[in-house]
Amino acid sequence: MNYQTERAEIVAYGKKLITERLTTGTGGNISRYLPAEQVMLISPSGIPYFETQPEDIVVMDLAGNVVEGTRKPSSEYELHSIFYRERQDVFSVVHTHSEYATTFACLHQAIEPLHYIIGSIGEKVRCCAYKTYGTFELAQEAFDFIQQDHGILLGNHGVLAIGKDVESAFSVAKDIEFLAKLDYRARCIGQPVLLNEEQMQVVIEKFATYGQ
Ligand SMILES: [Zn+2]
């Protein structure tokens, strides 16, 4: 079996989707692209995250063919592969149905800049139009819509996060849920004070050079 380390990573982050309360049941999916081999590893369809074994992870080429594995890939594989085909800066995609963020997605309501951490994702967390799950139309809509942002809401569906590796895409998905929860709670007791464009630009620039 090839890609043992990468398979184990997807299994581990799948469990984190549940323990960090970013999804329930078999909702959501995770993938990682290996540019040298031009394949992506993606979570399988319909297997609970705590039952998923490394051999259940499906290896696919970017045309959608299964290269290695006996399981059916996640039904949203198009939503993942389009980023690896079309962008040179994306190596992982994480998709969730986390509850607070999906609530905003059902309202087609962006999460506004009420906390500086939003600058690690974009000026706000915007929401794209509704398209049927598991279709190329959904993948195309999300791809066209996301532009320079690291994550968006998928209308009437959930969250899409992208990153340079699984850790960063997962972290975006987690931050989006954190922000959605804050926005929801702030609106329960008042009107959140939003950061202005200038304040957000400062934060976005700081995030661009943050870390090691
Ligand atoms: Zn979904």
Side-chain angles (χ1 to χ4, degrees):
M1 190 170 67
N2 293 314
Y3 318 118
Q4 304 250 14
T5 315
E6 294 83 359
R7 286 169 184 271
E9 182 184 40
I10 292 180
V11 169
Y13 274 94
K15 290 177 182 166
K16 267 166 80 90
L17 278 181
I18 301 288
T19 57
E20 306 263 356
R21 306 176 76 112
L22 295 184
T23 203
T24 55
T26 59
N29 29 72
I30 299 176
S31 74
R32 174 177 171 175
Y33 180 53
L34 304 178
E37 294 84 358
Q38 295 191 336
V39 293
M40 73 170 181
L41 278 74
I42 188 163
S43 43
S45 179
I47 302 179
Y49 290 105
F50 274 87
E51 291 169 25
T52 303
Q53 300 298 319
E55 57 269 28
D56 295 325
I57 303 303
V58 184
V59 183
M60 301 181 84
D61 66 22
L62 297 189
N65 305 302
V66 173
V67 175
E68 197 182 302
T70 54
R71 299 296 190 180
K72 233 172 99 185
S74 160
S75 55
E76 293 295 5
Y77 71 87
E78 301 263 26
L79 186 58
H80 296 248
S81 62
I82 193 169
F83 286 92
Y84 306 138
R85 269 199 311 273
E86 306 289 340
R87 282 179 60 159
Q88 268 73 60
D89 59 334
V90 178
F91 299 96
S92 179
V93 176
V94 172
H95 165 56
T96 77
H97 296 168
S98 63
E99 289 178 13
Y100 282 84
T102 304
T103 303
F104 281 82
C106 291
L107 295 162
H108 286 215
Q109 183 175 324
I111 302 167
E112 300 289 339
L114 79 167
H115 186 287
Y116 79 90
I117 203 100
I118 208 161
S120 66
I121 299 160
E123 284 177 27
K124 53 174 80 173
V125 184
R126 300 172 299 123
C127 181
C128 75
Y130 173 76
K131 300 287 174 190
T132 309
Y133 83 93
T135 62
F136 180 72
E137 286 65 38
L138 173 61
Q140 189 73 60
E141 171 67 23
F143 179 80
D144 291 344
F145 189 81
I146 201 164
Q147 297 171 36
Q148 76 287 348
D149 294 352
H150 299 289
I152 52 170
L153 304 174
L154 305 173
N156 312 86
H157 185 152
V159 171
L160 182 76
I162 57 176
K164 63 179 179 6
D165 51 29
V166 181
E167 186 184 6
S168 51
F170 187 91
S171 154
V172 168
K174 203 176 152 184
D175 285 345
I176 289 177
E177 181 63 4
F178 168 72
L179 290 159
K181 213 180 272 185
L182 280 185
D183 199 344
Y184 176 91
R185 286 175 172 163
R187 286 173 200 279
C188 286
I189 55 170
Q191 199 56 36
V193 176
L194 301 180
L195 299 172
N196 65 34
E197 218 170 288
E198 194 185 325
Q199 290 167 325
M200 282 307 297
Q201 277 316 315
V202 172
V203 171
I204 287 170
E205 276 164 36
K206 269 177 88 82
F207 272 119
T209 55
Y210 178 77
Q212 296 296 312

